[in-house]
Amino acid sequence: MKSRSRTIGAGSVIGEGWQKFATFLTHAGRQQPGREGGFVNMPVERGSTVVFPTVEDMEAQGVHAYDHRLVYGAMGNPVQHRLEQVIAALEGGSHTQVVNSGLAACSVALLAFLKSGDHLLLPDSVYGPTRRFALGMLTRFGVETGFYPPRADEATLRAHLRPNTAVVFAESPGSHTFEVQDVPRIARLAHGAGARLLLDNTWGIGAFQPFTHGVDVSIQALTKYPSGHADVILGSITVQRQEHWQALRRAAIELGACGAPDDCWLTLRGLKTMAVRLAQQARSAYELALWLESRPEVAHVRHPALPGCPGHEIWKRDFTDASGLFGVELVEGITQEAMVAMLNGLNLFSIGASWGGYESLVLPTSGGLTRHHEEGLPKGAAFRIQVGLEDVADLKADLARGLDGLSS
């Protein structure tokens, strides 16, 4: 479901792109009332064992394991199947597999398309747990992993590809350093080398249509904006081609990957309000980012909608909106210890590693990032901001008190 495009300029408002998107989400996944009416939301059905009238009926249903049909609890449940339909439509794909976390979405997708002897190519800005999974379990399984600069030009990216490169992974923007990647170019080079392109599209949910830009597999941490209330851990993997669905679904069944009914139901509920939450959070984040750019304590604000952010022109070309997550790098001379003391003293920003919920968060991003290439690493003390639903004036005042303390 593609939202209406908009451009950033004088007087423009981040968040306009979510208007038609809101109509889709309000109606997707709802119950269709029967002749006598019914609840607007589908019920939660919990269960493990599915029983059948006869052995013949059970055997007949078993052939539908790839069809989002009720076969066994570990292969999916009714509310999971409904959520998968909504996410597939939202991402522009044909099939979605829901799994128990965002990291599980990354790992199941990688296991579905890699085998011993293959080469995996990750962006250096990739989500830390994805890097850890690749260098840990995939290494033990005989998969070699390489890392490319997230904003690599064509020649550099070609140099990182190998004859046995089976998967190129992208994450745009990076969730700590916010480099926007040229996904269509990466897709062209990956496909030319016989590899598939997997994308962690969590930041760009609803604002970036992966399959129109050459992506083969799109990954979402539904924990973030779809659930939206910091109380669910869930992930999804979406594909468009039947051959990719066969490989993905086979891997999910073999790994026992599925979503709990209550988590799927809460995420379906969260999706109903995601467009209005994202519109507000995107507007507030953009306003806050502009304000932070004017502060003397701030060297760089890494928000893709700002012209100074790496990949801003690509963001304008490929995205229809933004989210509420961005980074801040402080000027030289402000120490990591001073920044941590400032973050500890904030009142409205909690300190936490997740994002996409209703609450504002901060997280240090300097001193703990692992990179194979120097490109993109902050030169000074840096932190990440997740903007929630609080009044942006109150968030500014809270940050202003902390930044004033740094100056003094």
Side-chain angles (χ1 to χ4, degrees):
M1 177 69 182
K2 189 168 184 176
S3 55
R4 181 168 61 88
S5 63
R6 53 94 206 93
T7 56
I8 297 300
S12 66
V13 179
I14 288 279
E16 289 181 352
W18 301 114
Q19 292 172 358
K20 293 185 179 180
F21 181 61
T23 302
F24 164 72
L25 289 177
T26 302
H27 290 268
R30 283 167 52 170
Q31 287 281 82
Q32 297 299 316
R35 292 174 61 89
E36 298 180 358
F39 290 120
V40 67
N41 291 323
M42 70 179 300
V44 180
E45 295 184 66
R46 304 178 187 89
S48 56
T49 301
V50 179
V51 295
F52 301 90
T54 67
V55 171
E56 291 80 8
D57 288 323
M58 183 178 71
E59 291 175 346
Q61 188 73 346
V63 303
H64 295 292
Y66 288 74
D67 300 331
H68 305 278
R69 299 269 288 272
L70 193 59
V71 177
Y72 180 69
M75 294 185 184
N77 53 78
V79 69
Q80 175 184 324
H81 295 158
R82 184 69 62 87
L83 176 60
E84 288 169 341
Q85 293 169 2
V86 175
I87 297 299
L90 173 61
E91 292 269 76
S94 62
H95 293 282
T96 291
Q97 173 69 50
V98 164
V99 295
N100 63 304
S101 71
L103 176 57
C106 294
S107 58
V108 170
L110 289 169
L111 288 169
F113 297 103
L114 288 167
K115 65 183 185 304
S116 180
D118 283 345
H119 176 244
L120 164 66
L121 196 52
L122 293 177
D124 214 12
S125 55
V126 73
Y127 175 55
T130 305
R131 177 189 297 265
R132 186 171 62 234
F133 174 77
L135 295 179
M137 186 169 291
L138 289 183
T139 298
R140 297 196 298 273
F141 287 174
V143 174
E144 186 180 1
T145 299
F147 295 88
Y148 67 98
R151 300 187 63 234
D153 60 23
E154 186 157 335
T156 302
L157 189 55
R158 282 188 188 278
H160 280 82
L161 291 165
R162 300 181 183 178
N164 63 331
T165 301
V167 168
V168 178
F169 199 94
E171 181 181 309
S172 183
S175 60
H176 286 297
T177 43
F178 297 94
E179 300 94 340
V180 181
Q181 297 191 261
D182 193 336
V183 172
R185 181 172 66 192
I186 297 170
R188 174 171 54 82
L189 294 174
H191 294 157
R196 296 182 178 90
L197 176 59
L198 277 60
L199 171 71
D200 186 333
N201 193 35
T202 303
W203 191 95
I205 189 167
F208 182 86
Q209 290 293 297
F211 302 105
T212 64
H213 292 92
V215 173
D216 296 301
V217 181
S218 184
I219 294 162
Q220 287 287 342
L222 303 179
T223 304
K224 309 302 196 259
Y225 291 109
S227 65
H229 292 78
D231 54 7
V232 169
I233 301 289
L234 208 63
S236 67
I237 313 156
T238 301
V239 297
Q240 191 176 57
R241 295 171 59 179
Q242 186 64 26
E243 65 186 86
H244 294 156
W245 171 242
Q246 292 292 316
L248 172 62
R249 181 60 173 159
R250 185 183 311 115
I253 292 172
E254 291 171 355
L255 292 165
C258 62
D262 291 83
D263 290 341
C264 292
W265 189 91
L266 286 169
T267 303
L268 268 177
R269 185 175 70 171
L271 283 167
K272 298 294 183 291
T273 62
M274 185 176 75
V276 292
R277 286 186 283 105
L278 261 173
Q280 178 63 44
Q281 289 170 281
R283 281 192 295 266
S284 295
Y286 186 60
E287 183 177 340
L288 197 62
L290 285 173
W291 174 78
L292 282 164
E293 275 197 319
S294 71
R295 292 288 308 200
E297 305 86 358
V298 174
H300 304 288
V301 178
R302 300 193 179 210
H303 187 305
L306 298 177
C309 185
H312 168 71
E313 293 302 320
I314 296 172
W315 174 82
K316 283 204 306 182
R317 183 193 71 190
D318 293 345
F319 286 72
T320 58
D321 226 304
S323 80
L325 187 77
F326 65 94
V328 179
E329 184 176 340
L330 300 175
V331 297
E332 185 180 354
I334 296 176
T335 66
Q336 181 82 2
E337 293 73 20
M339 181 194 72
V340 168
M342 182 202 80
L343 299 182
N344 287 341
L346 296 174
N347 294 320
L348 298 180
F349 292 85
S350 299
I351 299 168
S354 193
W355 47 279
Y358 63 89
E359 76 289 9
S360 288
L361 300 170
V362 289
L363 181 73
T365 54
S366 52
L369 298 181
T370 300
R371 290 288 190 273
H372 283 69
H373 307 276
E374 288 296 318
E375 178 186 323
L377 280 174
K379 295 180 174 58
F383 60 96
R384 186 179 75 180
I385 291 180
Q386 132 76 12
V387 176
L389 295 174
E390 300 92 342
D391 188 282
V392 69
D394 293 333
L395 297 178
K396 286 181 185 178
D398 195 24
L399 284 169
R401 284 190 293 271
L403 294 171
D404 289 343
L406 287 177
S407 296
S408 62

